[in-house]
Amino acid sequence: MNKPNFYSILPAIVRYDKELKDKAKLIYSEITSLTNSDGECYALNEYFCNLYDISEATITRIIRQLKNKKLIEIEYIYKEDSKEILKRVIKIPQISHEEGVSKMTPRGVKNDGDNNIKKYNIPKGILYKENPKAPTLGEIKEYANKRDLKYIDCEYFYNYFNDSNWIDSKGRKVRSWKQKMLTWEKHEKEKHNKNGDENEKYTRV
């Protein structure tokens, strides 16, 4: 049995996965704390059951889910010339979220390059190379004038996102307020043109 480390690791790809329940994230974190210098965990389901008072069926489902999501890898060591399992080995593959962002390994977090990192797809807006500074109303108006954005209400745009701490309608942090303005302008223009067509349809003689 591995001896738990003082620290565990819970990378963003796990923290923000809405398909994973809190218990699954907890078990993943515990697995990282149990990995030894070779990045291997030998804990059985019974260990997690007793540690967190979770049923064996739940643990089995969690381990299977983590494996299917490729967040862990499982290897079974069999008795020679037999189907009897001697040991289960859980490994955590290295994960690179996006270039320039810290990379997680079973032995900690590092920022150096690694050409053998496995790539995972992460929804845009979860990870950022830096936290963007929220713009002022003046900056928004200045950018609107610079890009000749005719259909966007700058004050409404500013209040809408400022009141929500720059979280969009899908619950994601606004990564680029300028890009968000361009998208907003596009939608407003489409609505304007659509309404114009509707009005024209009803005013024709």
Side-chain angles (χ1 to χ4, degrees), residues 12-27:
I13 195 174
V14 179
R15 287 200 310 276
Y16 299 116
D17 191 327
K18 295 183 179 180
E19 295 181 357
L20 291 175
K21 301 292 185 181
D22 290 343
K23 289 182 179 178
K25 297 175 183 180
L26 179 63
I27 296 303

Side-chain angles (χ1 to χ4, degrees), residues 11-14 17 20 28 65-74 91-99 101-105 116-124 126-127:
I13 195 174
V14 179
D17 191 327
L20 291 175
Y28 178 91
Q65 184 182 28
L66 294 175
K67 180 178 181 294
N68 290 340
K69 283 180 167 289
K70 298 182 179 180
L71 294 171
I72 63 173
E73 298 173 350
I74 298 179
K91 299 181 180 180
I92 299 180
Q94 293 179 322
I95 300 173
S96 172
H97 294 159
E98 61 182 46
E99 187 177 357
V101 178
S102 297
K103 298 167 184 175
M104 188 280 291
T105 74
N116 296 318
I117 298 297
K118 294 184 178 180
K119 300 294 182 180
Y120 287 79
N121 293 323
I122 299 186
K124 294 180 179 179
I126 286 182
L127 295 175

Side-chain angles (χ1 to χ4, degrees), residues 23 26-27 45-56 58-59:
K23 289 182 179 178
L26 179 63
I27 296 303
N45 288 358
E46 183 181 2
Y47 170 84
F48 300 112
C49 292
N50 295 332
L51 184 63
Y52 293 111
D53 193 23
I54 302 176
S55 70
E56 185 172 353
T58 299
I59 292 295

